[in-house]
Amino acid sequence: NNGVVSSLFATITTTEQGGTQSYGLFKYLGPNAIIRNLNVVTTVGMTAASGSVSNGVQYVGGLAGYMNNSLLVNVTAETKMGISVNNSVLHVGGIAGMTTAGTGFESVGNVKYNGDSTSWTIQSKSGSQINAGLIAGSATNTYVNSLNINVTDSVVDLKADGNSTLT
């Protein structure tokens, strides 16, 4: 876009589902996807399914649910999360739920977490595994060249019952 920085504001609301699901401004960023010069403010809300979800895997990120061999250049992100799951494996991150296969953060600036009590609330009702991170919930074969994190308070509310694990 000729060096012009674009700003996007998104609100994503959904209900926990079975199978593998991805949520974010972009559901999936695949091989060779490049996001440049973008400011994004995202609010993600997920309510637990009313019953148990079979084989639920949820990838949730402010920018992308799942990044596979993708590149971010000159990107800023501010994300709020309100997530409740029943029986899923949850990968949740401020930028991406999961990054794999050579995904790169070339110049990611000002990843914000303002620390108020509504910024990130992640709750597991039963039998879930939660992987949560300010950048990515889970990452394999991912590189970071330049990253600036802006944290004003550090309160993340993670709740699990006796049958769930938090990582």
Side-chain angles (χ1 to χ4, degrees):
N1 66 4
N2 297 324
V4 175
V5 176
S6 299
S7 294
L8 293 173
F9 301 88
T11 301
I12 301 161
T13 306
T14 189
T15 300
E16 174 187 23
Q17 298 178 30
T20 301
Q21 307 295 325
S22 297
Y23 304 97
L25 180 61
F26 299 98
K27 177 179 179 176
Y28 174 81
L29 289 174
N32 304 314
I34 300 173
I35 303 296
R36 289 182 193 196
N37 304 324
L38 179 65
N39 296 324
V40 63
V41 177
T42 310
T43 301
V44 178
M46 178 183 293
T47 53
S50 57
S52 180
V53 173
S54 176
N55 300 316
V57 178
Q58 319 291 324
Y59 298 106
V60 183
L63 183 63
Y66 197 102
M67 293 178 65
N68 177 20
N69 195 20
S70 308
L71 179 64
L72 301 181
V73 179
N74 194 28
V75 172
T76 64
E78 181 174 354
T79 306
K80 288 188 176 196
M81 300 280 181
I83 296 175
S84 178
V85 291
N86 245 351
N87 192 22
S88 286
V89 176
L90 176 65
H91 303 272
V92 59
I95 293 179
M98 169 72 94
T99 62
T100 63
T103 292
F105 299 102
E106 194 60 39
S107 176
V108 178
N110 211 23
V111 177
K112 290 185 180 179
Y113 171 74
N114 67 12
D116 70 32
S117 63
T118 62
S119 286
W120 279 51
T121 301
I122 301 169
Q123 182 176 12
S124 169
K125 296 200 178 214
S126 76
S128 296
Q129 175 184 333
I130 298 173
N131 304 294
L134 187 56
I135 305 304
S138 298
T140 59
N141 194 21
T142 299
Y143 77 90
V144 176
N145 184 40
S146 174
L147 178 65
N148 177 27
I149 298 174
N150 180 353
V151 178
T152 56
D153 286 312
S154 56
V155 178
V156 175
D157 186 13
L158 296 174
K159 297 177 183 175
D161 70 5
N163 297 318
S164 299
T165 59
L166 303 173
T167 60

